[in-house]
Amino acid sequence: MKKTIKTFTLGFLLVLAAILFASCGYEPVFYGIMHDVAPEEATVNGNITSIVRCQINSEEYLVLSNGGSVAYKPLSASKHGEWKTDNIKLPFITHHYNYFPTSTEPEGHIGQQILRVIADQNNIYLLTATFKQDNDYGIVLPDTIYFWTCPINSLLSNSAEAWTNIIETCEAFPAVTFDSSNWQMNIGVFFTNTPKPEHRKAFISVTDPESKEVSYYKLNGSSAPEAEACSNYVQIYDKSKKINSAFYIGDTLYFTDSIAVATNETIDTNATLACIGGVNKNSNKNFDVFYYQGSDAPVSFIELGSPVASLVFTADSIIIGKGSYTASYTSNGGIDRVLLDENRMPQTTVADFDNNAKYQFTSSYIIMALLNADPSQKEADSDLYAAISYRGSGSSSSASFNNIGLWSYYPARGNWNRE
């Protein structure tokens, strides 16, 4: 009898296991496990809002910031662990909170936090802010806004004197304010970030606090910004005319209200196609990606269920980073890809990744920035970078604080992993 019971129990457990695996979709589970990889040591952590191309003394570099230090690496460095922070001396104390006041440093928020890094062909720019505690609302707000610039060829000189605060030194610089009623500053920055150095331009937008009119300027190092007419405007959102991005097709500069734009420009060829993230005009819930060729209207080629936060071209695909900056917590992030056809035009369906991208960049993460070191290479042969973060505590979206930072894909490694 005991033998019969044992046999029955073993059979029951096997059947139960089969049912559970079938009901849970064991194939995707095991497929995800098979695509998991041993993590690299995380060396570039924090919220990274841009990955910037810079040509320093005729050599191409990538430059970024996690809010504190500025890190750099040669564009050609196709392996983990190459980012450095030495040789860059900033003209300010980086932001920290001092819990133990002294005669020289009071309690509270000390120093400046880097909010954004952008660059044009000859200069790099840092948008920074100091912070203060608003005890009435129990929140921390920006106190003073700074806008620093440095000639790119002086970036690695290890000299704080190479930097200039344009807001302070340039009399023609537009007035910069912070509206505590809606927690917004009246300045915005954007840049082209193209593979071709001659196409690298940087801009600021300044909103008048009273009239709410927006003016645009092309940055010119430490000299006065030049008023920009933004004549080639490509509107994507029906309710927005504020420009958030600039891009080249051929040698013509275009502007758009979308925050997510990428082109197929390479170091050797001008762009013939731009992809732009936008909204589905027929639905309040879905979002589109458009292509634009420099004439006629943008054409929607794929519909998504999440806002587009970043885009990047490879020679055979377009990678789409998703996520919302306005949601209270991240549940609509993640990453997709669309293949290009034989005419290098985007197809109309999402394609599976050939690597582990989908399992590292789940819907819990905003893909804040994407970059391909050489867009002339196919996806599998490209050095790719992604900066990810999330909104909320992470507990409601299964996000991990340890994953915030820079990720990379290198052909020799064959997978996405931490930088």
Side-chain angles (χ1 to χ4, degrees):
M1 184 66 179
K2 289 181 180 179
K3 190 173 184 179
T4 303
I5 293 174
K6 287 181 180 179
T7 304
F8 171 78
T9 303
L10 177 60
F12 174 75
L13 290 175
L14 290 173
V15 172
L16 178 61
I19 294 172
L20 289 175
F21 277 128
S23 64
C24 294
Y26 69 92
E27 288 183 354
V29 170
F30 277 103
Y31 187 69
I33 293 172
M34 292 298 293
H35 277 72
D36 198 11
V37 295
E40 299 271 17
E41 179 187 0
T43 61
V44 186
N45 299 306
N47 289 308
I48 298 161
T49 57
S50 55
I51 308 167
V52 182
R53 298 177 186 268
C54 292
Q55 189 176 81
I56 304 174
N57 298 320
S58 301
E59 183 178 0
E60 284 290 310
Y61 282 80
L62 298 178
V63 179
L64 54 79
S65 176
N66 60 1
S69 61
V70 174
Y72 65 95
K73 68 175 287 189
L75 182 75
S76 60
S78 182
K79 61 180 180 179
H80 177 75
E82 292 295 305
W83 292 92
K84 299 178 181 179
T85 58
D86 57 351
N87 297 322
I88 297 181
K89 189 173 183 179
L90 298 175
F92 51 83
I93 299 172
T94 56
H95 175 259
H96 62 279
Y97 191 92
N98 182 33
Y99 291 94
F100 306 102
T102 65
S103 59
T104 57
E105 190 173 89
E107 181 181 358
H109 293 273
I110 306 296
Q112 300 176 35
Q113 180 177 337
I114 301 172
L115 306 178
R116 192 82 192 276
V117 183
I118 63 172
D120 57 27
Q121 183 176 3
N122 299 310
N123 307 278
I124 193 164
Y125 306 89
L126 304 180
L127 180 64
T128 71
T130 57
F131 292 86
K132 63 181 179 181
Q133 184 77 30
D134 189 323
N135 294 322
D136 292 335
Y137 289 95
I139 56 175
V140 176
L141 296 174
D143 185 18
T144 304
I145 308 299
Y146 300 83
F147 197 53
W148 300 93
T149 185
C150 170
I152 285 177
N153 284 337
S154 300
L155 180 64
L156 305 183
S157 65
N158 201 24
S159 171
E161 286 71 30
W163 295 89
T164 301
N165 178 16
I166 318 175
I167 295 178
E168 182 178 83
T169 61
C170 182
E171 294 182 359
F173 200 88
V176 176
T177 61
F178 180 81
D179 186 354
S180 58
S181 63
N182 59 15
W183 305 346
Q184 290 183 350
M185 65 181 71
N186 73 328
I187 183 174
V189 297
F190 55 96
F191 64 129
T192 54
N193 207 30
T194 55
K196 287 190 169 187
E198 62 268 27
H199 283 169
R200 293 172 188 169
K201 301 291 189 296
F203 305 88
I204 60 168
S205 64
V206 181
T207 305
D208 185 273
E210 296 183 359
S211 68
K212 305 303 179 183
E213 292 186 2
V214 184
S215 300
Y216 300 94
Y217 303 86
K218 181 172 74 70
L219 294 169
N220 189 26
S222 59
S223 301
E226 302 173 13
E228 176 60 56
C230 305
S231 55
N232 298 310
Y233 173 64
V234 182
Q235 185 174 359
I236 297 296
Y237 291 88
D238 283 340
K239 296 181 180 180
S240 172
K241 290 188 177 180
K242 184 177 180 181
I243 293 169
N244 293 303
S245 300
F247 61 96
Y248 273 91
I249 293 181
D251 288 316
T252 302
L253 181 63
Y254 294 86
F255 298 88
T256 180
D257 51 352
S258 175
I259 64 169
V261 180
T263 74
N264 62 352
E265 179 178 301
T266 72
I267 188 64
D268 297 317
T269 62
N270 284 340
T272 58
L273 182 70
C275 283
I276 309 173
V279 67
N280 186 319
K281 296 178 175 62
N282 299 317
S283 171
N284 293 324
K285 296 181 179 180
N286 292 321
F287 299 84
D288 287 4
V289 184
F290 300 79
Y291 70 76
Y292 183 68
Q293 296 177 287
S295 61
D296 301 324
V299 177
S300 170
F301 65 87
I302 196 164
E303 183 179 297
L304 304 170
S306 300
V308 179
S310 54
L311 293 160
V312 73
F313 267 87
T314 75
D316 57 357
S317 67
I318 300 163
I319 302 176
I320 305 168
K322 300 182 294 183
S324 171
Y325 291 99
T326 59
S328 58
Y329 68 93
T330 305
S331 62
N332 54 6
I335 196 165
D336 282 324
R337 74 195 282 252
V338 173
L339 298 178
L340 302 179
D341 63 21
E342 63 275 8
N343 298 315
R344 299 291 179 89
M345 295 296 291
Q347 299 184 12
T348 57
T349 57
V350 170
D352 291 335
F353 279 91
D354 296 326
N355 52 55
N356 63 331
K358 204 72 174 177
Y359 302 97
Q360 299 291 12
F361 308 134
T362 67
S363 60
S364 300
Y365 297 100
I366 303 172
I367 315 301
M368 297 197 296
L370 287 165
L371 185 135
N372 183 0
D374 183 0
S376 69
Q377 297 295 319
K378 292 183 178 181
E379 183 179 332
D381 301 322
S382 295
D383 291 350
L384 300 168
Y385 300 90
I388 75 170
S389 187
Y390 62 85
R391 288 182 62 86
S393 65
S395 59
S396 57
S397 60
S398 301
S400 171
F401 180 80
N402 294 330
N403 286 338
I404 295 178
L406 190 66
W407 292 67
S408 61
Y409 171 92
Y410 296 124
R413 189 176 60 199
N415 61 65
W416 283 93
N417 215 313
R418 279 305 307 268
E419 272 291 278

